[in-house]
Amino acid sequence: MVAWLGTDAYGLDRPPDLRLLVPAVAAWLAALGALAVAPGTAWVCGAGAGLAALGLLLAARPPLESLALTTVAALACAATVAGVTGVHVHRVAHSAAREVSEHPSTVEFAAVVAADPRQRAGTPRPGRAEWVVRASTTWVRTGEGVRASRAPVVVLASGREWSGLLPGQPFRARGTFLGAEDDPLTAALVLVRGPPERVGAPSRTQALAGRVRERLREAAAVLPAPERGLLPALIVGDVSGLDPRTSEDFRATGMTHLLTVSGANLAILTGFVLAAARLLRAPPWCSVVGGAAMIWLFVLVCRPEPSVVRAAFMGSVGLLALATGRAPAALGALCATVVGVLFVSPGLAASFGFALSVLATAGILLLVPPWTREWSHRLPLPAAEALAVTVAAQVAVSPVLVLLSGELPWVAVPANVLAAPVVAVVTVTGSGVAALAAVWPEAAAVAVRLPGWGATWIAAVAQAGARVPYGALPWRSDVAGGVFLAAVLAVLVFTHGRPRRVFAAVVVAALVLYLAARCVPGGWPPPGWALVACDVGQGSAFVLSVGPGAAVVADTGEDPEAVDGCLERLGVREVPLLILSHDHADHVDGAPGVLRHRAVAAALAPPGFGEGATGRLLAEAGVELLEARRGQRLRVGPWLLRVLWPETGFTGAVNDGSVVVRADGVALSVLLTGDIEEEAQRRLLGGPDADLLAVTVLAVPHHGAGTQEPAFLEATAPVVSVTSVGADNPYGHPAPFTWTLLERVARVNLRTDRDGDVAVLDGGGSGPGTAVVRGPE
């Protein structure tokens, strides 16, 4: 039954065994509680639970003996996990690394890499760490000399030398130790400048795993984009070559689990090995050895991610049942897995990845059998199984997913149903290619075409799903939102007959009304909008309408999600011109959000912009880069764009080198100013374009900072001023001095931190300069 679930489906056709459910929940809650309190408190509570378990065991008598034994097991598991967690937290809290972090200073240390270096998201910036490396210190050199310190740390570093480190490799470095207040099992964050020193050789097994991953990347390089980066992610969880736009498509369609080597991959491969053994009529011990070897190799090559640990432990329990001749009980194995994993690594209790893996598996084990039986009356059995698996997993994980994303992606169900059968094929064939690449790279470069076709289909499903309007419903991202969603889903799942139909009708009606409110006229954007200032936090992003579905975008803010959301609300699918005022993160790092599913023809930027990270990103996306020159004129739709600044050869500060553009529409004029400050403002006042400064709408320079020339603001004489600024920003923007000036020179003064997205209409019957605000999120 449900062959593509592999060993996770063992015992799926038997009634669920709930005897270990209470001990598993108790162990999980005990771990979470112990992580939130001091080690001494955890030990005291653990001792209390242990004594209670012993007393209840001695007092247990029929007819409540069964209930008493279940309670004893729960208390014993909770006591053990609390004690183990306390030991872990105590060791970290009293390590030399933690002590150094309490008085931050730069010290020398030695450590061993614990996981593959992960590249930080976002645009690389000078002084911003590029790599996140989880490691375990072995010693730290303090003022008292070298002190032994075996404690987990997170190293933040830059440089290509960090990217090739493998788990198990020792290294030395000098770094500043900072406290990791939110994680009791991490001793410190270590900021390192420079490359790692005295890097030791990895173990033979880790070198083998690294070679397999590298050879798979090389084999996949013959595939077109995005398959060349997607296939290693699907097979071994290697996302180093994955296009950020593809990653976002998978996130939007609820398919991210495919990129992180979920436990399902291991279950599929282990199930394939056991099925092959049965087909060859191999004795049981061969099946067990083959399954165990597959688990070991998979964990080695794909790394012990939380979901992989869950699947490996659960698969091992299944192999043990096979070796002893006992019938496997899937839900019992899952509960035993939770208890066993938390005994060894209690920190996983706070891991969203581990929680999602356990919940998805539990949902499948509990809900798939009855749903498949019911739905197979109307659908072919394979289709009923695929739909039941996808819906069951989505229902189980949704209350946790909303805590992470603040949205409920309904499009995830059809997307995962379409992808699931192909995922199983890609997993098996792609793993074969990875093994072949390690010994015969040339043959692997040919064989990779087969899983590559599957990767093409999966990428197409993700891309199509990401473009579905309103594919995800906004939801509260706090505990109350998660609990409410869990309650709604529980009623839908566990009620029957008329009550379920009535409740489902109410839910559907609420969703229809919500979608209608989002789609009917009178919402956002207002009819006749010409300019919108997007609320992108502490940054700038302005949009000039050039027709249905098309707009000029001026700056992008720092967060790709924020500017993408603004453009989605405006229905913008084509950007004939992207104006980037200057290469500061809060103005250009959101560029990937503009590029997402949009055709961007050209970008206007200051001289030398193409040499930076965003310039290279635009070049890779095929966007023509235009160098801004004073006096330049561009006609885009109804807008005449004139570049007023910078002058040729300007060598001042980056802010003062911002591209300044005057945009003239049918009944509206706009001055886009970037981050220019006093020097540039004075030179504009005294320059040949001073008579072009007066406009209908002023995009206030530098988020309303105090670095303004009063005469410049007065010369703009705007009807509306818009200050793009983040709420409670640490810079004090807009400055009281600047806001006072604006209140004197403009009729209407708006700011995105208070007003949210701001739209200025094109005139019509309301006259030029009429503004409408959406309100803050």
Side-chain angles (χ1 to χ4, degrees):
M1 183 179 185
V2 198
W4 54 79
L5 288 178
T7 53
D8 277 354
Y10 274 15
L12 195 60
D13 53 351
R14 298 182 179 87
D17 184 353
L18 300 177
R19 287 175 296 177
L20 288 178
L21 179 60
V22 174
V25 172
W28 203 320
L29 294 176
L32 290 174
L35 289 171
V37 299
T41 304
W43 290 332
V44 169
C45 293
L51 291 174
L54 180 60
L56 189 57
L57 178 62
L58 296 175
R61 296 288 187 276
L64 299 178
E65 186 175 9
S66 177
L67 176 61
L69 291 178
T70 300
T71 306
V72 167
L75 290 172
C77 290
T80 304
V81 171
V84 171
T85 306
V87 170
H88 282 275
V89 173
H90 180 269
R91 187 180 69 243
V92 171
H94 291 80
S95 65
R98 174 63 64 84
E99 292 178 14
V100 171
S101 71
E102 294 173 355
H103 306 283
S105 60
T106 301
V107 299
E108 183 182 7
F109 68 98
V112 176
V113 178
D116 290 291
R118 178 173 55 85
Q119 192 166 18
R120 293 185 70 186
T123 304
R125 290 279 165 193
R128 181 180 183 269
E130 300 177 59
W131 299 96
V132 179
V133 184
R134 289 198 167 272
S136 178
T137 59
T138 54
W139 55 259
V140 176
R141 191 183 301 277
T142 67
E144 302 173 358
V146 175
R147 294 183 56 189
S149 173
R150 295 191 176 275
V153 296
V154 175
V155 177
L156 304 176
S158 295
R160 299 179 63 87
E161 298 86 352
W162 293 92
S163 64
L165 294 179
L166 293 173
Q169 279 191 279
F171 68 92
R172 293 187 185 183
R174 290 183 60 84
T176 302
F177 282 61
L178 303 175
E181 298 178 358
D182 296 333
D183 186 357
L185 296 181
T186 298
L189 304 178
V190 188
L191 307 182
V192 176
R193 295 188 182 277
E197 302 171 357
R198 301 189 186 183
V199 178
S203 65
R204 291 183 179 180
T205 54
Q206 291 297 343
L208 171 64
R211 184 164 61 252
V212 170
R213 294 164 70 93
E214 181 181 2
R215 293 282 180 83
L216 178 60
R217 288 195 299 269
E218 293 172 355
V222 303
L223 300 174
E227 290 87 339
R228 70 170 65 102
L230 177 59
L231 189 63
L234 294 172
I235 303 305
V236 297
D238 183 355
V239 297
S240 59
L242 189 65
D243 189 308
R245 287 171 290 185
T246 302
S247 178
E248 173 56 26
D249 289 344
F250 276 71
R251 186 206 64 80
T253 52
M255 296 168 63
T256 305
H257 61 95
L258 298 179
L259 305 179
T260 56
V261 187
S262 67
N265 298 63
L266 175 56
I268 290 169
L269 291 175
T270 309
F272 176 78
V273 170
L274 298 183
R278 283 197 299 270
L279 184 64
L280 296 174
R281 298 182 179 179
W285 68 265
C286 287
S287 300
V288 173
V289 171
M294 176 57 69
I295 290 174
W296 180 80
L297 285 171
F298 189 89
V299 174
L300 175 67
V301 175
C302 301
R303 311 310 190 203
E305 298 293 331
S307 62
V308 174
V309 171
R310 190 279 308 163
F313 202 108
M314 189 171 173
S316 299
V317 172
L319 292 177
L320 180 62
L322 180 62
T324 58
R326 300 188 61 175
L331 189 62
L334 176 63
C335 294
T337 294
V338 170
V339 174
V341 168
L342 295 181
F343 277 2
V344 178
S345 182
L348 287 178
S351 166
F352 280 106
F354 185 68
L356 292 172
S357 180
V358 170
L359 288 173
T361 307
I364 291 170
L365 298 179
L366 288 172
L367 302 177
V368 165
W371 287 357
T372 299
R373 287 192 295 270
E374 181 178 350
W375 297 349
S376 61
H377 297 304
R378 303 178 182 86
L379 297 170
L381 182 59
E385 287 181 343
L387 183 60
V389 168
T390 302
V391 175
Q394 194 66 32
V395 165
V397 302
S398 288
V400 175
L401 283 180
V402 296
L403 301 179
L404 294 171
S405 63
E407 59 184 21
L408 195 60
W410 63 266
V411 75
V413 173
N416 279 283
V417 167
L418 291 172
V422 180
V423 168
V425 175
V426 170
T427 298
V428 175
T429 59
S431 298
V433 169
L436 182 62
V439 295
W440 192 3
E442 295 79 8
V446 176
V448 77
R449 301 288 181 180
L450 178 58
W453 293 331
T456 300
W457 169 256
I458 295 170
V461 169
Q463 187 177 48
R467 294 191 176 192
V468 173
Y470 309 111
L473 305 176
W475 200 273
R476 286 186 57 165
S477 58
D478 55 7
V479 174
V483 170
F484 179 71
L485 178 59
V488 170
L489 294 174
V491 172
L492 289 173
V493 169
F494 295 112
T495 57
H496 299 280
R498 182 177 176 83
R500 174 192 279 182
R501 291 194 294 271
V502 172
F503 189 77
V506 172
V507 172
V508 170
L511 293 177
V512 169
L513 289 175
Y514 168 78
L515 291 174
R518 292 285 300 269
C519 300
V520 296
W524 190 263
W529 70 275
L531 166 75
V532 166
C534 297
D535 179 10
V536 293
Q538 184 60 20
S540 294
F542 291 85
V543 185
L544 304 172
S545 175
V546 299
V552 171
V553 178
D555 285 338
T556 67
E558 186 171 2
D559 181 7
E561 302 300 325
V563 69
D564 179 45
C566 179
L567 296 176
E568 282 288 337
R569 291 190 291 271
L570 298 175
V572 173
R573 287 298 175 189
E574 181 181 353
V575 180
L577 182 66
L578 172 62
I579 302 172
L580 298 169
S581 63
H582 63 298
D583 196 7
H584 275 177
D586 59 335
H587 288 255
V588 303
D589 278 10
V594 178
L595 295 172
R596 192 174 295 156
H597 301 310
R598 297 182 184 89
V600 180
L604 180 70
F609 188 87
E611 300 171 4
T614 302
R616 292 192 295 271
L617 172 69
L618 294 174
E620 292 170 1
V623 179
E624 181 185 4
L625 191 60
L626 308 176
E627 187 175 289
R629 305 184 309 273
R630 187 161 75 176
Q632 198 171 5
R633 287 170 169 250
L634 300 168
R635 170 68 71 175
V636 185
W639 296 95
L640 173 63
L641 307 175
R642 288 180 274 193
V643 180
L644 308 185
W645 185 261
E647 61 187 10
T648 304
F650 178 77
T651 58
V654 175
N655 280 351
D656 277 327
S658 297
V659 175
V660 177
V661 174
R662 176 188 170 106
D664 289 282
V666 177
L668 201 68
S669 58
V670 182
L671 189 63
L672 303 167
T673 60
D675 274 354
I676 59 170
E677 299 177 334
E678 293 102 330
E679 179 184 358
Q681 292 176 16
R682 293 186 187 116
R683 293 173 72 165
L684 277 166
L685 281 172
D689 299 320
D691 58 332
L692 296 177
L693 296 179
V695 289
T696 313
V697 182
L698 170 67
V700 177
H702 200 177
H703 320 290
T707 52
Q708 311 290 336
E709 171 57 51
F712 175 81
L713 295 181
E714 291 169 357
T716 62
V719 177
V720 178
S721 81
V722 181
T723 304
S724 186
V725 64
D728 302 320
N729 66 85
Y731 311 104
H733 296 164
F737 163 76
T738 301
W739 193 252
T740 301
L741 284 174
L742 292 172
E743 289 181 326
R744 189 170 74 238
V745 303
R747 297 182 200 170
V748 178
N749 293 286
L750 301 169
R751 40 194 283 189
T752 55
D753 61 334
R754 294 178 179 175
D755 302 305
D757 293 349
V758 175
V760 182
L761 309 186
D762 59 6
S766 57
T770 300
V772 180
V773 301
R774 180 170 177 264
E777 292 286 351

